[in-house]
């Protein structure tokens, strides 16, 4: 059982929904990023999604693209991202960390070396958005063998014919993308998302977490009420960029987490 599996078991026993927060590693710099990540569990975050900066993202909207660029500009790398996770693990051995990014930096490092290093740093799961199920032998299967969850995205365009393929080697949870398009570009609507979540849940025992288009405590509550939890990314990244204040950002995160936990 991974930390992700244990967290969902704990939440289920407590009758609570999950709140997942996304932050970009190294934005606006290493030290502030680490301070923010360290503060997330006390702000109510159940699972931390840690963005791996990359030059050519394809699913990220302008907010997260700019965050990645800021991180790259101050010298953030895959190695430093894993170092940040390892620093966090010195104080917290229970909160799951999901590394979210693209395959190129992992391929460049070498899959076997990366998985060894990620496991040692305390990473629990991977979301690699540019590796479809047809490429599972490349990273997904080795990651599962190494004890890391491989989390797959399902979208409004994932029809009943495609869904079993998407779910085949997925573990930890299913990340349902609530809107067609990029992060931060549109608002999630519970009325639209609910039937899709139900459709996915009828095909898997895994928790279904909903992300994209959630930016207020009310929306987090609404989305969590029809799923197993909510992910917020762009709104948190924006708050940090605007305020340059870790305490202010964590206060905002807590409001979102409180909303999701009421769902």
């Amino acid at each position: 059982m991974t930390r992700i599996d244990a967290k969902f078991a704990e939440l289920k026993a407590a009758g609570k929904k999950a709140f997942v927060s996304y932050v970009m590693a190294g934005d606006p710099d290493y030290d502030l990023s680490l301070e923010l990540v360290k503060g997330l569990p006390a702000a109510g975050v159940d699972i931390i999604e840690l963005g791996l900066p990359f030059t050519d993202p394809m699913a990220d909207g302008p907010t997260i693209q700019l965050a990645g660029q800021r991180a790259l500009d101050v010298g953030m790398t895959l190695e430093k991202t894993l170092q940040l996770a390892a620093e966090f693990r010195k104080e917290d051995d229970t909160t799951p960390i999901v590394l979210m990014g693209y395959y190129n930096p992992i391929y460049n490092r070498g899959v076997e070396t990366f998985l060894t290093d990620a496991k040692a740093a305390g990473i629990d799961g991977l979301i690699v958005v540019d590796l479809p199920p047809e490429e599972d032998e490349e990273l997904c299967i080795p990651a599962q063998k190494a004890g890391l969850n491989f989390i797959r995205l399902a979208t409004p365009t994932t029809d009943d014919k495609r869904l079993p393929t998407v779910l085949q080697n997925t573990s930890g949870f299913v990340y349902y993308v609530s809107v067609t398009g990029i992060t931060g570009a549109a608002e999630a609507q519970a009325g639209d998302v609910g039937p899709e979540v139900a459709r996915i849940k009828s095909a898997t025992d895994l928790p279904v977490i909903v992300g994209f288009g959630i930016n207020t405590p009310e929306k987090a509550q609404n989305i969590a009420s029809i799923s197993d939890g909510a992910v917020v990314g762009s709104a948190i990244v924006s708050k940090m960029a605007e305020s340059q204040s870790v305490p202010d950002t964590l206060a905002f995160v807590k409001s979102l987490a409180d909303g999701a936990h009421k769902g």
Side-chain angles (χ1 to χ4, degrees), residues 241-262:
E242 290 164 11
S243 69
Q244 295 291 300
S245 165
V246 170
D248 287 355
T249 304
L250 290 173
F252 177 58
V253 171
K254 186 177 187 309
S255 73
L256 295 165
D258 289 347
H261 289 149
K262 289 177 189 170

Side-chain angles (χ1 to χ4, degrees), residues 52 54 56-60 100-106 128-130:
L52 175 61
F54 182 55
D56 298 285
M58 56 194 283
D60 301 315
M100 182 171 186
Y102 298 86
Y103 185 47
N104 188 281
I106 296 168
V128 183
V129 296
D130 54 347

Side-chain angles (χ1 to χ4, degrees), residues 197-252:
V197 170
R199 182 171 68 93
I200 296 167
K201 287 182 75 66
S202 71
T204 180
D205 293 330
L206 292 171
V208 180
I209 306 300
V210 178
F212 286 46
I214 304 167
N215 51 22
T216 67
E218 294 74 25
K219 285 176 193 162
Q221 181 177 351
N222 289 341
I223 291 297
S225 72
I226 49 87
S227 66
D228 295 303
V231 185
V232 180
S234 294
I236 294 170
V237 171
S238 282
K239 182 68 176 179
M240 186 65 191
E242 290 164 11
S243 69
Q244 295 291 300
S245 165
V246 170
D248 287 355
T249 304
L250 290 173
F252 177 58

Side-chain angles (χ1 to χ4, degrees), residues 95-168:
T95 305
I97 300 176
V98 175
L99 189 67
M100 182 171 186
Y102 298 86
Y103 185 47
N104 188 281
I106 296 168
Y107 176 79
N108 191 48
R109 192 176 187 86
V111 167
E112 190 174 333
T113 301
F114 165 74
L115 291 174
T116 300
D117 294 346
K119 188 76 176 167
I123 300 295
D124 303 291
L126 303 174
I127 300 175
V128 183
V129 296
D130 54 347
L131 275 183
E134 287 74 15
E135 306 294 338
D136 275 357
E137 293 292 338
E138 193 80 19
L139 179 62
C140 173
I141 303 300
Q144 308 247 39
K145 286 179 180 174
L148 279 77
N149 291 125
F150 200 88
I151 295 140
R152 192 87 68 193
L153 304 183
T155 75
T157 59
T158 307
D159 61 20
D160 289 340
K161 184 178 179 182
R162 179 66 174 168
L163 186 60
T165 305
V166 169
L167 296 174
Q168 187 172 3

